Amino acid sequence: MKSALFLLPFALVPFFANDFWLVQIFGRALILGIIALSLTFLAAYLGVVSFAQATMAGVAGYTVAYFGPNTVDVGREMPFFVVLPLAMIMATLSGAIIGLIARRSQGIYAIMITLAIGVAFFYFTRQNYNYFNGWTGFSGIRAPEIAGTSLREPLPFYLLIILVSALCLLFVNGFIKSPLGLTIQAVRDAPKRVLAIGIPTTPVIVSAYAFAGFIAGSGGILNVWYQERISSFSVGLGPIVDILVIAVIGGLKNPIGAFIGALAFVLLDTFAVDFIDRERFNTLIGLVLLAIIMGAPDGLHGLAKSWLSRFKKRPSENQV
Amino acid sequence: MFTNLKTITMTSALALGAFAAPASAEDIKIGVISILEGAFAALGQDGIRGVELAVAEAGGEVAGNEIEVIVMSSDASPDSAVNAARKLIEQDGVDIIVGPLSGSEGLALRDLSKSFPAVTFLNGSSAAQDTTLRDASDNFFRFGGDGAQWMVGVGSFAHDDLGYEKVAVVAEDYSFPYTQVLGFMTEFCAAGGTVPEKFWTPIGAKDYSSIVYSIPSDVDAVFVALGGADAVNFLTQYNQAGGDKPIIGGSITIDQSILDSEGPFKQQLIGAPAGTPTVSDYDGAEWKEFTASYTGQFPDGFSAPSIFAHHYYMSAHAAILALEEVNGDLSGDQAAFRAALTDLEFVTPTGGTMRLDENRNGIVDNFVTEVFEREDGTLGNRVVKVVRDVDQSLGQDPAAFLAQGPVSRDNPSCP
């Protein structure tokens, strides 16, 4: 329950921000945060760094695009209350399949295999025209209208994003305390012992990936509504690395790190070009990310935690 | 728990501190979107120079209103172009957007422009056909041509002057090469030529051997619509495999960097025709003047304006001319300004008269060039034909042209 309170400052944003800040900065940060949360979850509780989270989000996004309203002549339109569960199921399934493929891999090998899956999916979407419309992808994707109001209107959209973010955080925190969640952490710490007491590890690992797919999928749906389009670019190496960067700079140890990292990333990504010679703004982004990683090995979340505990030793505050 | 809450509050507060102060109401803000990262960075930078040149030529102001240029970068993906445009509109409050650079980005901004009727979009150098031809947007203007217009003259030149009857096509698999192939085939097929086989390759492909050996042996030439490294890779592999058919180039296939690169395939390129709206060393008086202005303004730029500087310049120049006509008046959702843009006529750097058709797409000049060997043994492109007043229907009846359907891998076809 508590963890969702982390998002409280985000809920105050609509009172003083214009549409640009509301959707383009805070909304986008939360969406990327949800997708990065799925990576943080795998890294923190299964001990695996996955590069396939943008792919799982992309599966949900492409499902929404194919079965929803779009302006390219591909797909068939279905009502959104059918499409949304379908997209979540597809994303969860894609997570499970990726988990099944990567179940025996650890460390650098898990990174390689999930990266390979992500890149394969990228080329698949780029070259398949019947279902993914190739290079061009889908455009004109619209969020559903409820009671005459489009969910893509800035305020309703932002509130929806906040709600989904809070739910995802709650899910993650509830899930890790469940018997399955505890088993996942046991597999992370001592897979051989888990096997020795008679629990097969494969279903545990696969369900962890499937859960990550579920979280990434909810971010993927919001992302496709935010962008109003999806193409192979949306699942390419760029987004794959962005998600990793967000998770790492936020901190891989705590789910909330994903959202902190996402906000820092979006601010940098949007405004770096205003601060520095425009030929070099990517250098600035790179240097800041480098500084964060060097100065805060546990990410911004870990850094803030250690600062605050150093300066404010009063026990009452640390207990809240 | 509490500590983390604080962190976020602090982060949010910091972020909010960055809210931009509104600029003075007199300024006219022009947002520019170009690709300033990745493989296109140097070319995208030249697009920005085009806008800066147009603004500098106007003295940085229109009817006493200062012009402020705000630059955003995209990375060739439609998503990034849309994000850049949203930032320019919602955060920086620009009145006019000039950009983007590449085809799919243009389609995305065309769609976006419908959501922002108070902002006028002027296309940069993106050249997808449907940006203006189908589903056009009232506030999206293109003072330039599309990829098909850029090939006008080549098809008939290949058939009538070079005597090619059968041509195979090798092109990248996305919207811009589709449009280029359409521009070539429309003329070539109408003149009586046939295209028995088209090969579509993923962008960035390294290995072309399967295509090289599949090219029918009875074709007279190969039309290659690949860009940059793809073109070098294909031409090298084709040459090494003993391929000896003459080459016909797309608008970005045979640029100076390919002619300056090393390799035996270069000999095969001598005499190869290509279509392009921009020839760096064209000797028209207006182009010489434009080049002098460009090199004077940007001593660090290229030795002559690229296709990107040329097209961004034309859009920014058009915006400034229209602004001058209405004395910088952008009130009433820019109605007067847009009317001025719609009726605008001006002399382009290539010596033609730029004006718009009813879809707000430019009626442009196009060049047919051919590769020739200079006395010192280096290769260059020279103009063999200038085609004036090329419209988007390529001279056909607009309704009949539209009825042929959207361009794709299989459309047009004349096997």
Side-chain angles (χ1 to χ4, degrees):
Chain A
M1 223 22 231
K2 281 182 196 165
S3 60
L5 289 177
F6 286 121
L7 296 172
L8 210 57
F10 280 97
L12 299 176
V13 171
F15 292 106
F16 42 80
N18 62 14
D19 288 353
F20 168 74
W21 280 84
L22 197 60
V23 177
Q24 282 260 93
I25 301 296
F26 290 101
R28 182 169 166 230
L30 286 172
I31 292 171
L32 290 175
I34 295 171
I35 302 174
L37 173 65
S38 72
L39 169 57
T40 309
F41 163 76
L42 282 178
Y45 301 111
L46 188 63
V48 169
V49 174
S50 159
F51 272 58
Q53 300 317 110
T55 307
M56 300 176 196
V59 168
Y62 267 114
T63 311
V64 169
Y66 186 84
F67 291 109
N70 64 53
T71 51
V72 295
D73 250 355
V74 179
R76 59 198 62 181
E77 199 171 332
M78 296 206 290
F80 75 90
F81 50 82
V82 179
V83 176
L84 293 189
L86 185 65
M88 295 305 291
I89 291 169
M90 294 293 283
T92 311
L93 261 180
S94 73
I97 292 168
I98 291 168
L100 201 60
I101 298 169
R103 68 185 186 279
R104 292 188 205 283
S105 310
Q106 289 284 319
I108 188 91
Y109 301 102
I111 290 177
M112 288 304 294
I113 201 161
T114 48
L115 179 62
I117 292 168
V119 173
F121 185 67
F122 163 71
Y123 278 108
F124 181 59
T125 57
R126 177 159 286 190
Q127 290 173 34
N128 178 295
Y129 280 80
N130 293 337
Y131 301 106
F132 296 95
N133 204 26
W135 169 283
T136 314
F138 294 87
S139 58
I141 300 163
R142 295 192 308 277
E145 287 186 9
I146 291 175
T149 316
S150 167
L151 285 181
R152 188 61 179 78
E153 293 288 312
L155 190 59
F157 190 49
Y158 185 71
L159 294 178
L160 176 71
I161 295 172
I162 289 254
L163 180 70
V164 176
S165 309
L167 283 177
C168 286
L169 267 178
L170 286 179
F171 276 154
V172 169
N173 281 315
F175 187 66
I176 55 174
K177 290 184 194 123
S178 72
L180 180 56
L182 292 170
T183 319
I184 289 171
Q185 293 170 70
V187 169
R188 170 196 65 190
D189 295 333
K192 282 182 184 152
R193 288 195 203 177
V194 172
L195 269 175
I197 58 171
I199 304 174
T201 53
T202 301
V204 178
I205 295 173
V206 170
S207 54
Y209 272 96
F211 182 74
F214 180 82
I215 300 287
S218 45
I221 294 173
L222 291 174
N223 196 38
V224 77
W225 284 347
Y226 165 71
Q227 303 281 4
E228 297 178 308
R229 51 177 303 107
I230 189 167
S231 62
S232 51
F233 292 102
S234 319
V235 294
L237 204 53
I240 288 176
V241 173
D242 288 351
I243 296 300
L244 180 77
V245 165
I246 288 168
V248 169
I249 63 173
L252 281 171
K253 288 197 173 150
N254 191 306
I256 196 68
F259 293 96
I260 302 176
L263 185 60
F265 177 84
V266 169
L267 287 172
L268 258 181
D269 188 45
T270 312
F271 294 108
V273 73
D274 289 343
F275 286 124
I276 191 168
D277 207 13
R278 58 182 175 251
E279 295 105 274
R280 295 185 232 302
F281 76 96
N282 271 325
T283 315
L284 176 72
I285 295 179
L287 285 176
V288 171
L289 298 181
L290 196 63
I292 292 174
I293 289 167
M294 306 230 342
D298 287 338
L300 290 174
H301 173 261
L303 185 70
K305 214 167 154 182
S306 70
W307 270 1
L308 289 171
S309 62
R310 195 182 312 159
F311 291 123
K312 307 207 169 166
K313 276 286 180 203
R314 276 167 300 177
S316 60
E317 293 205 353
N318 283 329
Q319 294 306 314
V320 177
Chain B
M1 163 68 222
F2 185 83
T3 52
N4 294 316
L5 190 66
K6 277 217 144 161
T7 323
I8 299 200
T9 324
M10 274 167 38
T11 327
S12 318
L14 273 177
L16 295 170
F19 281 116
S24 103
E26 295 294 301
D27 287 357
I28 292 170
K29 290 188 174 183
I30 300 183
V32 187
I33 300 172
S34 185
I35 301 177
L36 301 174
E37 48 201 288
F40 275 103
L43 299 170
Q45 186 64 35
D46 209 39
I48 307 285
R49 285 192 201 109
V51 176
E52 286 173 346
L53 182 61
V55 173
E57 283 180 356
E61 51 104 35
V62 169
N65 304 307
E66 214 155 288
I67 301 176
E68 189 187 343
V69 175
I70 304 165
V71 173
M72 273 302 279
S73 170
S74 65
D75 62 7
S77 74
D79 295 0
S80 69
V82 166
N83 278 336
R86 284 219 180 99
K87 191 247 174 191
L88 287 170
I89 296 167
E90 295 179 342
Q91 173 65 12
D92 299 321
V94 299
D95 308 295
I96 297 162
I97 285 182
V98 178
L101 188 141
S102 87
S104 299
E105 293 181 301
L107 290 168
L109 284 199
R110 188 272 319 267
D111 288 341
L112 183 79
S113 67
K114 293 175 180 172
S115 314
F116 293 101
V119 179
T120 300
F121 290 70
L122 293 119
N123 181 61
S125 56
S126 89
Q129 189 182 40
D130 283 348
T131 312
T132 51
L133 189 63
R134 288 182 182 82
D135 210 10
S137 167
D138 292 338
N139 52 336
F140 193 100
F141 296 75
R142 173 152 67 189
F143 285 92
D146 65 21
Q149 288 170 280
W150 291 357
M151 287 309 293
V152 162
V154 180
S156 53
F157 182 76
H159 186 272
D160 301 342
D161 295 58
L162 299 174
Y164 301 152
E165 292 292 339
K166 261 188 181 184
V167 168
V169 168
V170 180
E172 283 150 346
D173 197 356
Y174 72 101
S175 55
F176 175 66
Y178 296 165
T179 315
Q180 291 249 288
V181 170
L182 172 109
F184 172 75
M185 283 178 63
T186 301
E187 271 183 16
F188 186 67
C189 299
T194 58
V195 176
E197 198 115 37
K198 286 184 269 186
F199 300 94
W200 302 106
T201 77
I203 195 167
K206 302 280 181 289
D207 180 8
Y208 292 90
S209 50
S210 62
I211 293 173
V212 163
Y213 292 108
S214 309
I215 293 175
S217 55
D218 62 342
V219 296
D220 300 315
V222 183
F223 172 47
V224 183
L226 305 170
D230 288 359
V232 175
N233 285 338
F234 172 78
L235 292 171
T236 308
Q237 292 172 27
Y238 183 62
N239 182 273
Q240 283 169 353
D244 55 358
K245 304 293 182 198
I247 302 294
I248 302 168
S251 298
I252 58 169
T253 308
I254 311 180
D255 63 2
Q256 194 59 45
S257 62
I258 285 193
L259 297 179
D260 289 343
S261 63
E262 297 296 326
F265 70 84
K266 278 168 57 180
Q267 291 307 314
Q268 205 168 350
L269 285 177
I270 294 173
T276 175
T278 310
V279 180
S280 302
D281 49 3
Y282 179 51
D283 55 5
E286 293 87 355
W287 185 259
K288 288 229 152 102
E289 201 179 305
F290 179 55
T291 306
S293 172
Y294 170 92
T295 47
Q297 188 78 22
F298 308 105
D300 303 336
F302 297 149
S303 61
S306 69
I307 190 169
F308 303 102
H310 178 200
H311 281 80
Y312 274 76
Y313 171 83
M314 286 197 293
S315 285
H317 187 55
I320 288 167
L321 288 178
L323 280 168
E324 278 170 355
E325 210 165 290
V326 299
N327 280 319
D329 174 22
L330 289 174
S331 59
D333 270 1
Q334 311 190 344
F337 170 60
R338 280 183 204 157
L341 272 181
T342 309
D343 297 332
L344 199 63
E345 275 193 22
F346 62 93
V347 178
T348 62
T350 49
T353 307
M354 171 64 76
R355 57 202 185 281
L356 298 182
D357 64 17
E358 67 272 20
N359 282 337
R360 295 163 299 284
N361 188 77
I363 296 171
V364 299
D365 301 334
N366 202 49
F367 296 96
V368 180
T369 62
E370 75 177 1
V371 179
F372 74 110
E373 192 167 13
R374 298 197 187 97
E375 277 173 12
D376 58 2
T378 59
L379 300 184
N381 275 310
R382 69 178 165 209
V383 176
V384 293
K385 197 157 99 179
V386 185
V387 190
R388 301 275 182 205
D389 300 331
V390 178
D391 65 15
Q392 202 171 16
S393 309
L394 310 178
Q396 303 178 19
D397 174 46
F401 187 72
L402 262 181
Q404 291 164 13
V407 61
S408 70
R409 310 170 114 204
D410 307 318
N411 184 32
S413 164
C414 63

